[in-house]
Amino acid sequence: MRLDHVSYAVARDSFVSTVQWIGSALGAGFIDGGVHPRFGTRNFILPLSGGTYVEVVTTLDHPAADRVPFGQAVARRAAEGGGWLGWVVSVDDIAPVEARLGRTSAAGHRVRPDGFDLRWKQIGLLELLEDPQLPYFLQWLVPIEERPSADPRTSTTIHGVSIAGDASSIAEFLGEPADHPLDQIAVTWVEDEEPGLVSVEFATAHGPVTI
């Protein structure tokens, strides 16, 4: 299992300032990712070294944000004051995950500012809404050179993630061992009042940064 990206959700009035704050902390500027018309959301992204990226996402004034699971998840996290929405695992073939969860994945796309239509399939948002410790799954439907992580803007990498939750439950959901569920990324299990992604540790040119 490979970590694709981590997602930070905020309210619309905090969107720009959050993008600037995280970019400053990590030593690089975000780029406009564009609008997710099927989800009622939009994002800015920061491609990192190591094949991952950070997403800052907010809702649009659009009915899809209230109707689809991703928009609902972003809106709920924003209403709680904003913060890490979750972690996203990429797979080469999403069909086994669909079979395990008993439903088909949802199609996603966003048109980048350069006009390229970025397309993917995703599944697991219903589980994330019910249990925020769980990741969701994504299969890219575009060549690797067009994916958000393809062109790093910084030498910063994701060193590890801290998750409040039950390691065995997440391991069962992923189908991976609890002691090392992700390739190349350290996972630390912590105690917190609420389950979910608590923090992300980045390795930057100026030392470790935890957000």
Side-chain angles (χ1 to χ4, degrees):
M1 288 286 172
R2 191 181 72 82
L3 181 67
D4 189 80
H5 67 279
V6 289
S7 184
Y8 197 99
V10 292
R12 288 192 289 274
D13 60 2
S14 302
F15 186 49
V16 173
S17 61
T18 301
V19 167
Q20 293 172 339
W21 162 58
I22 296 179
S24 177
L26 300 182
F30 279 70
I31 56 177
D32 187 357
V35 170
H36 309 113
R38 293 177 181 171
F39 305 147
T41 57
R42 67 166 300 184
N43 71 0
F44 269 67
I45 65 167
L46 176 55
L48 305 173
S49 295
T52 61
Y53 68 97
V54 180
E55 168 190 55
V56 177
V57 61
T58 192
T59 57
L60 300 168
D61 186 11
H62 190 283
D66 299 320
R67 193 171 60 237
V68 300
F70 185 72
Q72 292 170 354
V74 173
R76 184 176 71 180
R77 192 70 182 98
E80 293 169 348
W84 290 114
L85 173 66
W87 49 301
V88 186
V89 172
S90 65
V91 294
D92 294 330
D93 182 8
I94 210 164
V97 183
E98 292 175 322
R100 186 150 48 85
L101 297 184
R103 64 180 189 277
T104 58
S105 55
H109 85 103
R110 61 177 169 84
V111 178
R112 295 189 315 221
D114 66 1
F116 184 82
D117 191 8
L118 193 67
R119 294 186 174 272
W120 65 90
K121 295 179 180 179
Q122 66 185 46
I123 193 169
L125 266 300
L126 293 175
E127 285 75 13
L128 173 67
L129 280 167
E130 192 164 309
D131 189 356
Q133 69 177 318
L134 298 175
Y136 66 93
F137 300 89
L138 180 150
Q139 178 189 343
W140 290 107
L141 302 179
V142 297
I144 192 168
E145 63 269 17
E146 298 293 351
R147 298 173 191 175
S149 59
D151 187 18
R153 295 174 61 85
T154 172
S155 61
T156 295
T157 61
I158 295 178
H159 175 72
V161 295
S162 294
I163 300 169
D166 179 65
S168 60
S169 296
I170 294 177
E172 182 179 356
F173 186 68
L174 287 173
E176 294 288 326
D179 60 345
H180 196 75
L182 292 174
D183 295 339
Q184 300 178 324
I185 303 289
V187 177
T188 302
W189 309 104
V190 298
E191 293 187 6
D192 199 80
E193 292 182 0
E194 298 293 335
L197 178 60
V198 175
S199 63
V200 179
E201 182 180 331
F202 300 87
T204 78
H206 304 290
V209 172
T210 299
I211 296 176

